[in-house]
Amino acid sequence: MIPLRTIILSLGLTIATLVTYDVQGSGAAVNIGLLSTKKQTSVILTPLFGDYLVNFDDKEEYQLKNQDLLHLVMVDGKITAKTLSGHIGSFLSITISPLGSNGSLKLKPVIPYGKTRAYDDALKISVKDDVLQVINEVNIDKYVAGVIVSEVGLNTTFEYYKVQSIICRTFALSNFRRHEEEDFQLCDKVHCQVYGGRCGAEDIATGAKLKGPGDILDAALQTSGLVLIDTAIELINASFHSNCGGQTVNSEFVWTEAKTYLKSVNDPYCLNQKQAKWQKTIPKIKWLNYLERVYAYPVNDKKMKKQALSFTQKYRLEYFNNYKAIKLIAIRKDWRLRSTFFSVKESGNNIILSGRGFGHGVGLCQEGAMRMADLGRPYKEILHYYYKDASLIDIASLRYLLK
Ligand SMILES: [Zn+2]
Ligand SMILES: [Zn+2]
């Protein structure tokens, strides 16, 4: 058994995360930066459901009810606030939080114009470099559900949503300090995880529960607090990709760091799925010129030339043709290939790249995991299949270790 002291010493990063996260079980909130690349100077807010309390510079209060709206515009370094009943004043910060335990707001970007989205829980708006900084302070499980709607969509199984909930939560918490200097924890872009706002689990008009979004929110709530950790009790890098083509990749093939839980596994589950195969045809001369020009590959050597035109990968390799100067990830990038898991064969004046899978191939294969879930495999088994020696833990129990 590992002595408790050792466990606590090894908690370094995790402790830092917990301090910021302030674990309160499912009640924990995260701050997500919205519209952060937009230079937003005008927005309109309307309650979608629930009544809201608006605080202006932590002093004045205003109740924002159904049918009402709040129009915020940047004027001379301050936020001018107007409602349907008139002008309220100019302020530096505005907090809008639900009066009850739940609430959701519609946010319409006016200048620049953007798509209206809905956000659960609270919005905090302040001035930063003469533009509006908009932050959604939202329950982490609702955030996780919102991410899944954007990153996975509505057409998979409940068990798979549990898998993805744990991955998204682990990813969010392990990247909690990415935007520390901007006063929020994660952005809503691909840089962190794409978050398009509220996962609407019920029909707004009738209140009836919707199948897809309802399942996503339930899966996030049922796995609330669960995260993946490695043997050093650090949150793992829960990377995933669309389809591995039948074998996942060691993390050091793609990035520099080897991780014990990101080791290659054989994956028969994704072989017949949508993204399992691809092909690309390239003129032979272009291919050889590329290898010679960029990597000084000896195309005038008869044997080497032949091998460059008949490269095969029965299993995942790190280098093209065993030629150490050429990493397969570099070829993937240069030719915008769907994966590094490809073979080369000649066809007249061309070569044909026959590829398998889509994405970097490290960690969990989404199409394989979805297939496993379809076959009735429980979420724990699916996670352990791809992240071999990672453990599932309730983040609240990590806090218990610290007491
Ligand atoms: Zn980010
Ligand atoms: Zn796979």
Side-chain angles (χ1 to χ4, degrees):
M1 217 179 117
I2 315 166
L4 186 62
R5 204 181 143 79
T6 318
I7 292 177
I8 290 175
L9 285 176
S10 67
L11 275 171
L13 232 183
T14 311
I15 291 175
T17 305
L18 286 176
V19 171
T20 332
Y21 179 54
D22 190 19
V23 179
Q24 300 291 331
S26 57
V30 287
N31 288 297
I32 312 298
L34 312 176
L35 306 167
S36 50
T37 55
K38 293 282 187 203
K39 296 199 182 314
Q40 201 69 39
T41 56
S42 170
V43 296
I44 290 174
L45 300 164
T46 342
L48 178 64
F49 69 86
D51 293 332
Y52 271 78
L53 184 69
V54 190
N55 268 293
F56 298 98
D57 285 343
D58 294 326
K59 289 189 288 270
E60 281 184 65
E61 287 182 353
Y62 179 85
Q63 281 201 18
L64 192 67
K65 302 216 172 208
N66 206 355
Q67 310 296 335
D68 205 353
L69 62 79
L70 186 65
H71 187 186
L72 306 177
V73 188
M74 276 300 305
V75 180
D76 299 332
K78 285 197 156 190
I79 309 166
T80 301
K82 279 181 282 186
T83 65
L84 289 176
S85 31
H87 184 86
I88 297 182
S90 294
F91 310 93
L92 288 171
S93 74
I94 296 170
T95 307
I96 306 151
S97 18
L99 275 167
S101 53
N102 282 307
S104 186
L105 279 167
K106 281 193 288 183
L107 170 69
K108 182 185 173 64
V110 181
I111 304 172
Y113 180 80
K115 189 178 166 189
T116 301
R117 294 181 188 276
Y119 294 93
D120 284 319
D121 302 344
L123 288 178
K124 298 186 288 191
I125 295 149
S126 56
V127 178
K128 189 148 197 182
D129 303 329
D130 267 340
V131 298
L132 298 171
Q133 181 174 53
V134 185
I135 294 171
N136 182 202
E137 187 182 62
V138 59
N139 170 286
I140 188 165
D141 296 322
K142 291 181 189 169
Y143 164 71
V144 161
V147 169
I148 295 175
V149 172
S150 299
E151 299 234 357
V152 180
L154 301 174
N155 297 315
T156 180
T157 55
F158 185 59
E159 205 61 19
Y160 183 76
Y161 288 137
K162 288 194 207 165
V163 168
Q164 196 72 48
S165 296
I166 292 163
I167 290 175
C168 290
R169 186 179 299 109
T170 304
F171 184 91
L173 294 179
S174 61
N175 290 287
F176 231 50
R177 302 193 146 202
R178 276 196 171 178
H179 292 276
E180 206 165 34
E181 285 172 8
E182 292 156 281
D183 302 323
F184 53 85
Q185 283 137 356
L186 300 157
C187 71
D188 61 350
K189 302 282 179 308
V190 73
H191 172 256
C192 289
Q193 301 187 95
V194 177
Y195 169 64
R198 170 169 205 272
C199 170
E202 63 291 304
D203 186 89
I204 298 299
T206 64
K209 196 158 169 173
L210 300 169
K211 174 87 174 76
D215 276 0
I216 293 177
L217 190 59
D218 281 352
L221 291 170
Q222 282 186 28
T223 59
S224 189
L226 288 182
V227 289
L228 287 157
I229 55 167
D230 64 13
T231 48
I233 322 185
E234 295 280 357
L235 293 163
I236 72 162
N237 171 3
S239 62
F240 60 89
H241 55 276
S242 180
N243 184 312
C244 72
Q247 188 194 352
T248 68
V249 189
N250 287 346
S251 58
E252 68 270 23
F253 284 19
V254 177
W255 306 304
T256 48
E257 214 177 345
K259 293 280 185 193
T260 56
Y261 54 84
L262 296 177
K263 287 278 171 237
S264 176
V265 298
N266 285 321
D267 181 7
Y269 298 102
C270 63
L271 292 178
N272 296 314
Q273 304 305 306
K274 242 165 80 191
Q275 312 283 1
K277 290 193 175 131
W278 57 268
Q279 255 196 5
K280 188 178 178 100
T281 303
I282 298 171
K284 199 192 290 182
I285 188 77
K286 225 173 151 184
W287 177 246
L288 291 170
N289 281 347
Y290 158 78
L291 293 174
E292 186 182 30
R293 181 173 43 87
V294 183
Y295 299 104
Y297 185 91
V299 292
N300 295 321
D301 178 311
K302 224 173 161 186
K303 192 173 149 216
M304 291 296 278
K305 180 180 173 184
K306 193 172 171 224
Q307 282 178 7
L309 300 172
S310 59
F311 169 68
T312 55
Q313 274 191 93
K314 286 199 177 60
Y315 54 90
R316 292 271 196 175
L317 298 174
E318 185 171 7
Y319 299 99
F320 175 74
N321 202 19
N322 218 9
Y323 193 76
K324 289 280 192 296
I326 314 180
K327 275 201 140 200
L328 286 167
I329 51 163
I331 297 185
R332 179 180 178 217
K333 193 168 162 232
D334 292 343
W335 294 91
R336 298 184 181 188
L337 305 179
R338 291 169 79 82
S339 72
T340 59
F341 201 6
F342 62 87
S343 297
V344 182
K345 72 166 189 225
E346 280 187 86
S347 172
N349 289 329
N350 295 322
I351 55 145
I352 296 173
L353 305 184
S354 301
R356 300 165 64 177
F358 184 22
H360 55 59
V362 182
L364 180 132
C365 165
Q366 286 184 301
E367 288 193 347
M370 285 178 191
R371 177 74 185 134
M372 286 180 85
D374 285 346
L375 293 169
R377 303 294 175 80
Y379 71 93
K380 288 181 187 173
E381 187 186 326
I382 298 170
L383 287 165
H384 288 307
Y385 189 83
Y386 292 101
Y387 304 114
K388 273 286 181 256
D389 69 351
S391 306
L392 259 179
I393 190 166
D394 187 329
I395 198 150
S397 65
L398 285 180
R399 192 171 173 88
Y400 168 76
L401 280 175
L402 304 176
K403 282 180 181 164

